[in-house]
Amino acid sequence: MTAARPAAGRTVTAWRWIAMLGCAALVTACGGGGGGGGTAASQGTLRVALTDAPACGYDHVWVTIEKVSVHQSSSAAEADAGWTDLTLSPARRVDLLTLTNGVLEELGSTPLAAGRYSQIRLVLAGNSGTGSTSVANAVQPTGGPVIPLSTPSAQQSGLKLQAHVDVAAGQVADVVLDFDACKSIVKAGNSGNYILKPVISVVPRVVTGLQGFVTTTLALGSTTVSAQQDGVTLRTTVPDATGRFSIPYLATGTYTLVIASEGRATGVITNLPVGTSSTAINGTATAIVLPASSMADVTGTVSLVSTSGSGTVTTALTDAVVSASQALTGGPTILLSGQPVDSTLGTYRFHLPTGAPVKAAYTSPAVPLTFVADTAAAGKYSIKAEAPGRAAQTKPADISTGVSATVNFSYGP
């Protein structure tokens, strides 16, 4: 169901987040007009689907989607004219954890006047009800009860990202909203509550990507497979019960694959090409096996120190994000994990291998991967803290002896 909105006078009770794409090559640019109107000859179509990166430590993550809205202006306010809505009726409750390994939830399509669209809004329903099947947005920690997700008032107006979506006359622009549940759910101290701070990227729906197999002897429930470039994770998935993994929607280029699993050393495959179709890494007969490794924690806090009279006051910097990376001998640097700090305490925790990562260079699916242990990098990590409006801080963490490490970050006013 599609409708162009009136300019004002709407009462809004749903939660709204803005997901705006930073990918100019979504579809072929065509120029043209704007808005949701226009004749059939000047119209194209926007088709939208939802997927998810794996979530950390949860059995279920539910969100309920009411609509997807688009606008040509990146600065358009909610009451401005020019919006076009793709409305889901009734609103659709989706378990994000069922949308991994290339699985999509089709949200529908809407005709649009040809042109460039710079804002996409994913509109979620507000919470109501108390049962596990009636709370619109909820999380179930592994082995725990269903807990409603709350949202800070500052997030009601939306999470803004850069966008350039070109809709061509007579063509379909396919986009995928990649909802990163792992980074979107933040624990609220010891209250038992969780806050939803959505991290959403928009990617072109293309057939190119990476696929392969890991051995089913890995703890598949804890195994993640990520495609990275220059130490940045582009997309992440989890293998299915057969060990198969698929990472679609990757742009043409060369990637590094990073495989992480509980009780295992990290596996790294370099020089993976993505061209006009999906690249097969291996088959079931050559499924990737990772060596065993002990694990240890890197924990800490991110805090803000301010002056109060003649003394100082330390408070949690709760809008910080922390990541753990590892520099391999001869390259590359890989990202192991990233997470927002606790929304009340400003704390974080990474559970990382102490053993040496193993690395192999890809040649072709016909040539078995030969992994070599990088002993010099064993248990050595870099922890980075980032917060809006503040300089990033990076500190080393060494857990090679099997002893957990504490790395704290402190910012001045």
Side-chain angles (χ1 to χ4, degrees):
M1 186 181 303
T2 305
R5 298 193 207 169
R10 298 184 301 113
T11 299
V12 181
T13 57
W15 297 349
R16 282 159 172 79
W17 292 273
I18 302 172
M20 292 186 285
L21 174 66
C23 177
L26 205 57
V27 293
T28 303
C30 66
T39 65
S42 65
Q43 283 188 335
T45 300
L46 178 70
R47 184 167 61 180
V48 184
L50 183 71
T51 192
D52 177 44
C56 311
Y58 306 112
D59 288 338
H60 301 279
V61 177
W62 290 282
V63 296
T64 299
I65 303 164
E66 287 191 340
K67 67 175 71 173
V68 178
S69 303
V70 296
H71 201 285
Q72 287 198 316
S73 172
S74 62
S75 60
E78 180 187 342
D80 289 349
W83 287 96
T84 299
D85 296 336
L86 168 60
T87 302
L88 283 71
S89 182
R92 191 176 308 169
R93 191 172 187 258
V94 180
D95 184 354
L96 294 175
L97 299 198
T98 65
L99 304 181
T100 57
N101 216 23
V103 176
L104 295 176
E105 177 77 17
E106 299 288 352
L107 301 182
S109 60
T110 180
L112 289 174
R116 173 164 291 187
Y117 290 80
S118 297
Q119 193 177 144
I120 298 177
R121 290 195 179 199
L122 178 66
V123 182
L124 303 183
N127 271 350
S128 61
T130 56
S132 62
T133 60
S134 59
V135 177
N137 309 293
V139 60
Q140 185 174 21
T142 301
V146 175
I147 301 171
L149 284 166
S150 61
T151 180
S153 58
Q155 292 294 329
Q156 301 283 333
S157 60
L159 177 68
K160 297 182 179 181
L161 305 173
Q162 188 64 36
H164 299 296
V165 180
D166 292 326
V167 176
Q171 297 185 22
V172 176
D174 265 320
V175 297
V176 176
L177 306 184
D178 192 352
F179 202 127
D180 194 331
C182 183
K183 295 180 181 178
S184 298
I185 299 171
V186 185
K187 188 177 180 181
N190 299 316
S191 66
N193 296 324
Y194 292 82
I195 297 173
L196 183 62
K197 294 184 177 181
V199 176
I200 305 169
S201 59
V202 186
V203 295
R205 186 170 172 174
V206 293
V207 297
T208 55
L210 299 169
Q211 60 185 27
F213 289 85
V214 298
T215 177
T216 55
T217 58
L218 296 180
L220 293 181
S222 70
T223 303
T224 60
V225 184
S226 62
Q228 302 186 12
Q229 287 180 325
D230 301 320
V232 176
T233 297
L234 281 303
R235 298 209 67 244
T236 305
T237 192
V238 294
D240 64 19
T242 70
R244 182 182 180 274
F245 62 85
S246 175
I247 306 179
Y249 324 125
L250 294 175
T252 299
T254 302
Y255 293 82
T256 296
L257 200 75
V258 178
I259 306 166
S261 188
E262 175 68 26
R264 301 283 178 164
T266 303
V268 180
I269 305 171
T270 62
N271 301 325
L272 281 164
V274 171
T276 58
S277 61
S278 287
T279 298
I281 298 170
N282 61 352
T284 55
T286 54
I288 298 165
V289 181
L290 300 178
S293 171
S294 60
M295 308 288 286
D297 290 342
V298 178
T299 59
T301 60
V302 184
S303 58
L304 177 65
V305 179
S306 58
T307 58
S308 178
S310 59
T312 60
V313 177
T314 301
T315 57
L317 190 58
T318 57
D319 58 355
V321 175
V322 185
S323 59
S325 61
Q326 188 171 38
L328 304 189
T329 304
T333 295
I334 58 172
L335 183 67
L336 274 298
S337 185
Q339 60 183 248
V341 298
D342 185 283
S343 65
T344 300
L345 305 175
T347 56
Y348 72 90
R349 171 182 177 267
F350 295 119
H351 194 55
L352 302 169
T354 63
V358 294
K359 182 172 68 172
Y362 174 83
T363 303
S364 78
V367 178
L369 297 166
T370 302
F371 287 95
V372 177
D374 186 352
T375 56
K380 296 181 174 63
Y381 299 93
S382 291
I383 311 300
K384 177 189 285 188
E386 299 174 276
R390 303 180 187 277
Q393 295 185 16
T394 302
K395 295 184 178 182
D398 190 340
I399 56 172
S400 58
T401 62
V403 178
S404 294
T406 300
V407 179
N408 296 322
F409 296 91
S410 179
Y411 286 86

